[in-house]
Amino acid sequence: MGAIDEFISKINYLNIDTNKREIYNKLKNLTIFKGTRGNPDIFLLSLVLGLKHGKKKKLMNSSNLFRVSELGEDVWIALSIGYAELKDIHVFENKDGAREAFRVCEEYANSGIEILNDLMKKPSEFTLNLIEELLKK
Amino acid sequence: MKLSKITINDYRGFYGKNVIEFDTDKKGKNISLVIARNDTGKTTLLNAIYWCLYGDEQFYSMKNSNKRIMSNKRIVETSMDRKMKVSVSLVFNDEKGPKYEITRDRIFKRVPDDDDELKIVQQGEDIITGMEMNQKGTGFEHIEHIEDFIARNIPKGISTFFILDGEQLKAIFSSDINYQIRDAIERVANIGALNGMIDNLKALDSKYSRAKSGMDPNSGALQKGIEELEERIKENETNLEKSIKEKLKLKKQIQEIENYLESHNEKIIREYGARDKRIREENERIVDEKTVEENQLNSLIISAYILENSKKAINTTIKKFEEIMNSDNFPPAVEPAHVFQLLKRKECICGNKISKNSDAEERLTKLANTQSYKEYFRIISQGDAYLPQMIKSLGDKIGLVGKLRKKISDYETKLQKNEKELHEISQKLKDSNAEEIREKAEEKDSVDRAIIRTERDIIVFENNITDLKATKKEAEIKWNNIKAKTAKDQLIIKKSEKCRALIKYAEEIKLDVMKTIKDSIQETTAKNFRELHHKAKEYEKVTIDDNFSLSIRDKYGGQLINELSQGAALCFGLAFMTALRNYSGYDVPIIIDSPVGKIDEGNRESIAKNIPNQLKDRQIIFLVTSSEYTSVFKEFLEKQISTEVNLTYNSKSGGIDIS
């Protein structure tokens, strides 16, 4: 087990607003997410969409979505986004710092899931947009 | 059949060989006389004749009955343990001369005995032999079953009326005389054959009764069962016939379909169908693979998108990590706990004092708050190594997205091509009446299945018929047995009825014959008696009753049979005997011992006068004493005497002389 795995094992779950759980459940069944890990990937996608649109939203009534360990090495993405926001190396030093970084991620994802839900009204278009966006770069 | 010769060897008083011959050829002379004094062998001669024929003696008084049959003189002359023989031989003549010779031998052995010095023991059974002159008269031949011959020709049962002792004649009217009379009449009338027939018929009837098997109580159910089996066989045969017709019809139908399919190029249709199937299968495989690739692509796109949009934050982190790793205090030289102690003492790691709220205090505080410098070191080191790789992998992922999209596009192109081809095949199949052919093929399958069903039905019906026929055959065998038994029973009943009718008829005939003969004998007996007995007029009626008892009644109807004088009894006995004799088919001599011994002169005259006439042409042998042979008797008989034999005792030899 890598050092990051030991580190994040001390943090149990990533959370969402309870009222967003239905969106997660709906999106999981879409074809675009068939080959993914489900909730972890939808969460990360929501996170980057919220980040991209600069939108965060505090969780009003949080509930567990998945274990942090399910992110695997993608945990670096979450921690990096938290560090970039907080500018605090504690994110990588201790549990509290990491938890703070994940809170930032949860807020971005809480906003980003709404954006994703809207985009998913036209899934094929969404996919093409993503591809187009990626290939442009 | 006349007795012509008697040969006696060592029989009682007849010591040695003794031969008595009677002349049987003199016409009109049918009487032979054997004259002897009392106790000079007259009754012994009668017994010798009887013994020869029947094996026992009949006429001895009590005082003689226990005496030995063997001549005492012979016994005395025989050494101890030596054998001796007594024998009597009778020769009977017919009109041509000697015809039969009957001989009885009995062997004795002398044995020692303290109480009886003349003790002898019989050795084996009597030896009785018979010889008969052959048809040509050239020699004698052995008679097989001589006892049967005697029983047929000189039956012991009626010997009472042929070989008799005049002095004991009254005894024949004893209690069993009825049986003897009845037996005599039956024999005279040859009723024996009829009785034999009746007995045989009764035995046959009894056999028929036993042979009746009786009707089988299950025969009705069995017959009904056979009828039911027949119906079921017919039913199955009808069904079998229908099934066979149905099969033929279906076969014809199949042939027509096959002809149609043949003429409509079924082969091509099948090839198109196979091709269509292959393309569809390939499409299914392509779709599956395409789905896998699409899922992979989607996953990759999302992953890349996430990475792309977090790239800025990652780079910030990378930059910070580089900064940390490039600083002087990385990795930290001291443990955070040690730093915490230094802070308490307001000392720096280098040993200098630090002031409050200074930069050095702030750095040391942070350092002291680090939970584990080793962990911190490891995370920073891992992140420093990994995060640039993540950024770098983004380019690979984007490149892979392009490749996957190309692959998916190829799949789509192939699918389009296949779809086009499928459309073309469909069009060709449509043009080839494919639908109708498919329908025909389906119909063929259906008919094939119907044929299989029909063939199965045929097998079932055939098996049913075989089983039912076997069951029926078994039942029929049983039924035939019952029928045969019934027919047999009916035949037996019929035979039994006939048998009983015959028995009844035979018994009626027998009664009629018996009655006729009895009446005849009764009439003749009465006539003879009146002739023989000079006082016969005193007796009103001579009868033989229905129960075959003889009766003589006076004019008042009183029974006199047991009150007859010796003379009357002899006359009555002779009257009955001569009457019987005249009806008899038995051609045997009449031998009478002491015919007139105890009767008066009047009777003697009547007997002498009438007996020869009454027994005309029959041989009569009178065994008489000299006193019996009176002048009156002699006067009437003399003309008819053929042979006169005298027996005299020879005191020298101890035997009897015959002259």
Side-chain angles (χ1 to χ4, degrees), chain A residues 3-4 6 10 32 34-35 44-45 48 51-52 73 76-77 80 83 89 92-93 130-131 133 137, chain B residues 295 298-299 301-302 305-306 308-310 313 317 320 324 375-376 378-379 382-383 386-387 390 405:
Chain A
I4 195 71
E6 283 179 38
K10 294 163 186 167
I32 189 171
K34 284 289 177 189
L44 287 174
L45 189 56
V48 295
L51 183 68
K52 186 183 174 184
E73 292 185 342
W76 287 109
I77 295 173
S80 296
Y83 170 75
I89 200 66
F92 299 106
E93 285 179 355
L130 289 188
I131 292 168
E133 198 174 322
K137 299 184 179 180
Chain B
N295 287 339
N298 287 333
S299 174
I301 291 168
I302 287 165
Y305 189 79
I306 291 166
E308 172 63 30
N309 285 287
S310 56
T317 306
K320 179 62 183 173
I324 291 168
E375 190 175 278
Y376 173 71
R378 283 172 61 205
I379 291 168
Q382 189 183 349
Y386 183 69
L387 288 174
M390 280 185 85
R405 287 195 74 202

Side-chain angles (χ1 to χ4, degrees), chain B residues 318-428:
Chain B
I318 290 169
K319 194 176 173 187
K320 179 62 183 173
F321 283 181
E322 283 172 353
E323 185 186 322
I324 291 168
M325 290 184 77
N326 292 329
S327 69
D328 296 337
N329 195 29
F330 193 84
V334 290
E335 284 272 4
H338 177 65
V339 176
F340 187 71
Q341 293 299 324
L342 288 173
L343 274 173
K344 275 188 178 177
R345 293 199 301 267
K346 301 291 182 189
E347 289 178 3
C348 186
I349 296 168
C350 59
N352 295 332
K353 286 287 181 184
I354 54 168
S355 56
K356 196 176 180 180
N357 298 324
S358 64
D359 290 342
E361 187 191 39
E362 193 182 346
R363 281 201 303 275
L364 284 172
T365 304
K366 280 186 181 176
L367 192 57
N369 287 334
T370 305
Q371 285 187 349
S372 165
Y373 82 97
K374 285 180 183 170
E375 190 175 278
Y376 173 71
F377 171 76
R378 283 172 61 205
I379 291 168
I380 297 298
S381 300
Q382 189 183 349
D384 184 50
Y386 183 69
L387 288 174
Q389 283 180 21
M390 280 185 85
I391 296 300
K392 194 184 167 198
S393 74
L394 180 59
D396 296 338
K397 285 184 179 180
I398 290 168
L400 192 57
V401 165
K403 284 180 185 172
L404 284 172
R405 287 195 74 202
K406 173 77 172 56
K407 208 170 178 182
I408 291 164
S409 173
D410 289 346
Y411 282 138
E412 283 170 350
T413 306
K414 179 69 178 166
L415 284 171
Q416 281 172 3
K417 190 185 162 197
N418 282 348
E419 282 301 325
K420 193 181 170 190
E421 195 172 349
L422 284 173
H423 178 74
E424 285 170 5
I425 289 168
S426 169
Q427 196 58 44
K428 282 178 182 172

Side-chain angles (χ1 to χ4, degrees), chain B residues 256-500:
Chain B
E256 284 171 1
I257 293 169
E258 281 173 350
N259 291 342
Y260 173 86
L261 290 172
E262 187 75 23
S263 64
H264 285 76
N265 206 353
E266 188 199 2
K267 193 178 174 187
I268 292 170
I269 302 301
R270 282 179 191 267
E271 276 175 11
Y272 277 129
R275 203 164 144 198
D276 181 277
K277 191 184 172 191
R278 194 171 60 247
I279 292 170
R280 285 179 195 279
E281 282 171 359
E282 189 186 24
N283 278 0
E284 279 177 19
R285 182 176 52 75
I286 290 170
V287 166
D288 288 345
E289 287 174 4
K290 182 173 162 261
T291 303
V292 170
E293 301 292 348
E294 280 174 346
N295 287 339
Q296 197 182 344
L297 178 64
N298 287 333
S299 174
L300 193 64
I301 291 168
I302 287 165
S303 171
Y305 189 79
I306 291 166
L307 197 58
E308 172 63 30
N309 285 287
S310 56
K311 197 164 68 178
K312 190 178 170 188
I314 291 168
N315 282 332
T316 304
T317 306
I318 290 169
K319 194 176 173 187
K320 179 62 183 173
F321 283 181
E322 283 172 353
E323 185 186 322
I324 291 168
M325 290 184 77
N326 292 329
S327 69
D328 296 337
N329 195 29
F330 193 84
V334 290
E335 284 272 4
H338 177 65
V339 176
F340 187 71
Q341 293 299 324
L342 288 173
L343 274 173
K344 275 188 178 177
R345 293 199 301 267
K346 301 291 182 189
E347 289 178 3
C348 186
I349 296 168
C350 59
N352 295 332
K353 286 287 181 184
I354 54 168
S355 56
K356 196 176 180 180
N357 298 324
S358 64
D359 290 342
E361 187 191 39
E362 193 182 346
R363 281 201 303 275
L364 284 172
T365 304
K366 280 186 181 176
L367 192 57
N369 287 334
T370 305
Q371 285 187 349
S372 165
Y373 82 97
K374 285 180 183 170
E375 190 175 278
Y376 173 71
F377 171 76
R378 283 172 61 205
I379 291 168
I380 297 298
S381 300
Q382 189 183 349
D384 184 50
Y386 183 69
L387 288 174
Q389 283 180 21
M390 280 185 85
I391 296 300
K392 194 184 167 198
S393 74
L394 180 59
D396 296 338
K397 285 184 179 180
I398 290 168
L400 192 57
V401 165
K403 284 180 185 172
L404 284 172
R405 287 195 74 202
K406 173 77 172 56
K407 208 170 178 182
I408 291 164
S409 173
D410 289 346
Y411 282 138
E412 283 170 350
T413 306
K414 179 69 178 166
L415 284 171
Q416 281 172 3
K417 190 185 162 197
N418 282 348
E419 282 301 325
K420 193 181 170 190
E421 195 172 349
L422 284 173
H423 178 74
E424 285 170 5
I425 289 168
S426 169
Q427 196 58 44
K428 282 178 182 172
L429 287 170
K430 201 174 178 183
D431 294 344
S432 307
N433 292 329
E435 190 60 30
E436 197 178 335
I437 288 170
R438 192 155 42 243
E439 281 172 9
K440 282 282 178 190
E442 282 171 7
E443 191 185 343
K444 182 175 176 282
D445 288 345
S446 170
V447 175
D448 273 334
R449 285 195 294 276
I451 287 174
I452 290 167
R453 277 200 305 276
T454 313
E455 284 175 340
R456 202 166 51 224
D457 288 347
I458 287 170
I459 291 169
V460 168
F461 292 136
E462 282 175 344
N463 287 341
N464 282 351
I465 290 166
T466 306
D467 291 346
L468 288 167
K469 279 185 175 175
T471 312
K472 189 187 159 210
K473 192 177 176 187
E474 204 174 309
E476 278 175 342
I477 289 168
K478 282 184 188 169
W479 175 236
N480 285 337
N481 285 340
I482 289 170
K483 279 203 292 189
K485 271 188 191 173
T486 309
K488 196 177 163 190
D489 283 351
Q490 283 170 351
L491 189 65
I492 287 169
I493 290 165
K494 214 171 178 180
K495 283 182 178 177
S496 177
E497 283 169 358
K498 281 186 179 174
C499 202
R500 285 174 191 178

Side-chain angles (χ1 to χ4, degrees), chain A residues 60-71:
Chain A
M60 302 305 290
N61 182 17
S62 69
S63 62
N64 302 147
L65 182 63
F66 60 90
R67 281 184 178 276
V68 175
S69 60
E70 288 181 55
L71 283 174

